[in-house]
Amino acid sequence: MSSIRDAETFPAHTPAASQIFTTVLCHGPITRLEVARRAGLSPAAVTKAVRPLIEAGYLVEEAEEQARAALGRPANPVRVDGSRALFVGVKVTGDEIIAVLTDLCCRIRAARHAPLPGREAEDVLARVADLVAELRTEAEASGTPVLGLGVAVSGDVDRAAGVVRWSPFLEWRDIPLAGLLQKATGLPVTVDNDVRALTVAEQWFGAGVGLSDFAVVTVGAGIGCGLVVHGRVVAGAHGVAGEIGHVTVDPAGPPCHCGNRGCVEAIAGDAAILRRIRDTAGVEVAGVAEAVALAHAGDPAARDAYARAGEAIGRGIATVANLLGPERVIISGEGLAAYDLFAEQIRDAFAAAAFGSAARCDVKTRPLPFEEWARGAAATAIQSFIRAEDQPPSR
């Protein structure tokens, strides 16, 4: 297996060149003039940066009939050649590992699912390495190199250091995951919080393209939030920006595992909903599917639990809107399977708690399976490849 030091590096050696490539990646095919306008750079700077990217095969110039017929120098659009490089993205849940192989445009070429063999870091590392090896074998058939690995994990993740500080679902503390996986796979590795990784994918390839300020709120086992402010995904000074799940919306509410009471997650997380149904109705509920079925059948305790969850989520989203004023909030996550049970409460609570013009925020739902979360991990690997300064050091 080749060493990390021997891996191919991206031929854009300045932040401006990386910005230009990212603009083409998100908006292409696009003319150089439009790239300059969007990136806030001079046309000369764009032309200078594009040339080596075309020569290295990362960008392709498209000749259009209208451009050929136009007077003067044709304004041929450029686009990213997605087949130039491949990346692997991995999403680790509490009971499953999902891995995808994507091209440079983050289009999924192949996917693998495997049950989590155990939550010990060594077990997870070994299974991730096996899945990566499988996908790299598949990539070899195309002759295209795999240039990076992204891994998405829930919890407090220090991307710069490549360390999982605390993952409640995996019960991990201070695991230097990037360094360990670099040694196991020989690939440059980017590790990030799973919701932030999903947010990167939405910013570059999804419902956030072209927006300078938006948020992704995920509902399910936990309640997460990824933030984009002035065009950048925000992690905060300590890596925990956007913890909407631990915003208190009911000081007298149920206790949360974080130590506080009445957090959004303590009311709207899957475990909280199941607990409330059990405590209210006095019956055991096997899982989320059964809880949803009960609510759809009209069970009062189940419907009440989902209604309270919707109110908590709506207030949490309103807090984000009031603080940051995003153009859009994208709601996703496995909890959307029950969206019809609490959509009205989310809307009403958001409208009641959003201040002034913050209520104009576009709140939309976007169901995304876990393969899309793994794609988000691949997006962080692509991002690190393009912007070498984002890559955590090997350990």
Side-chain angles (χ1 to χ4, degrees):
M1 189 173 292
S2 62
S3 70
I4 296 167
R5 287 185 295 274
D6 295 335
E8 181 176 342
T9 58
F10 188 62
H13 305 298
T14 66
S18 295
Q19 181 186 7
I20 288 165
F21 184 82
T22 302
T23 300
V24 179
L25 182 65
C26 296
H27 301 283
I30 186 172
T31 64
R32 292 168 175 80
L33 191 61
E34 180 64 12
V35 172
R37 186 188 71 79
R38 287 182 176 274
L41 298 168
S42 70
V46 172
T47 297
K48 181 179 178 181
V50 163
R51 187 179 300 114
L53 292 168
I54 291 177
E55 291 172 353
Y58 287 96
L59 293 182
V60 176
E61 188 168 29
E62 294 189 336
E64 292 188 341
E65 292 301 325
Q66 285 185 329
R68 292 195 191 103
L71 293 175
R73 184 175 178 178
N76 292 340
V78 291
R79 63 173 175 83
V80 171
D81 182 359
S83 64
R84 178 61 178 78
L86 299 175
F87 296 83
V88 175
V90 175
K91 157 70 173 167
V92 182
T93 74
D95 53 18
E96 185 183 26
I97 301 172
I98 304 97
V100 298
L101 180 70
T102 79
D103 64 13
L104 184 55
C105 294
C106 217
R107 294 175 293 224
I108 296 176
R109 298 281 193 89
R112 296 285 187 277
H113 292 245
L116 202 65
R119 295 187 180 181
E120 293 297 323
E122 293 80 4
D123 296 331
V124 176
L125 282 164
R127 196 67 190 99
V128 169
D130 288 344
L131 291 174
V132 171
E134 288 181 28
L135 291 173
R136 292 181 79 177
T137 298
E138 186 154 338
E140 287 174 3
S142 68
T144 305
V146 175
L147 299 182
L149 166 63
V151 182
V153 179
S154 65
D156 179 0
V157 181
D158 185 339
R159 172 168 169 168
V163 176
V164 179
R165 300 294 183 195
W166 166 230
S167 180
F169 297 129
L170 294 171
E171 299 179 344
W172 285 1
R173 283 194 183 275
D174 297 323
I175 303 296
L177 192 60
L180 293 171
L181 280 173
Q182 283 175 351
K183 291 176 182 177
T185 65
L187 288 171
V189 179
T190 301
V191 176
D192 208 344
N193 167 270
D194 56 352
V195 180
R196 279 203 302 269
L198 186 65
T199 303
V200 172
E202 289 299 286
Q203 180 188 26
W204 283 18
F205 309 107
V209 171
L211 301 181
S212 63
D213 299 89
F214 72 94
V216 175
V217 172
T218 58
V219 297
I223 309 296
C225 180
L227 302 172
V228 173
V229 179
H230 298 319
R232 293 190 67 88
V233 177
V234 176
H238 305 290
V240 292
E243 280 291 346
I244 184 177
H246 298 289
V247 170
T248 298
V249 293
D250 181 4
C256 181
H257 64 80
C258 73
N260 294 317
R261 298 188 71 92
C263 296
V264 175
E265 191 167 301
I267 299 171
D270 286 344
I273 291 171
L274 297 179
R275 188 181 307 114
R276 182 165 178 82
I277 295 172
R278 181 190 65 219
D279 293 347
T280 304
V283 297
E284 286 295 332
V285 182
V288 173
E290 184 177 336
V292 171
L294 281 172
H296 281 150
D299 181 84
R303 295 194 69 85
D304 174 68
Y306 279 105
R308 281 175 52 85
E311 291 171 6
I313 294 167
R315 290 181 187 176
I317 293 173
T319 299
V320 173
N322 291 342
L323 287 174
L324 298 173
E327 299 167 70
R328 176 174 294 161
V329 172
I330 302 160
I331 305 176
S332 191
E334 68 272 24
L336 285 190
Y339 188 69
D340 62 305
L341 295 170
F342 51 52
E344 182 179 353
Q345 288 80 8
I346 290 176
R347 287 194 299 268
D348 290 348
F350 172 77
F355 174 75
S357 296
R360 294 165 54 191
C361 173
D362 175 27
V363 179
K364 66 179 299 180
T365 58
R366 184 161 154 79
L368 295 169
F370 275 136
E371 284 185 6
E372 291 295 318
W373 292 63
R375 178 174 175 259
T380 67
I382 294 169
Q383 185 182 61
S384 291
F385 177 67
I386 295 168
R387 305 172 181 172
E389 70 275 12
D390 287 348
Q391 184 65 36
S394 59
R395 294 175 182 271

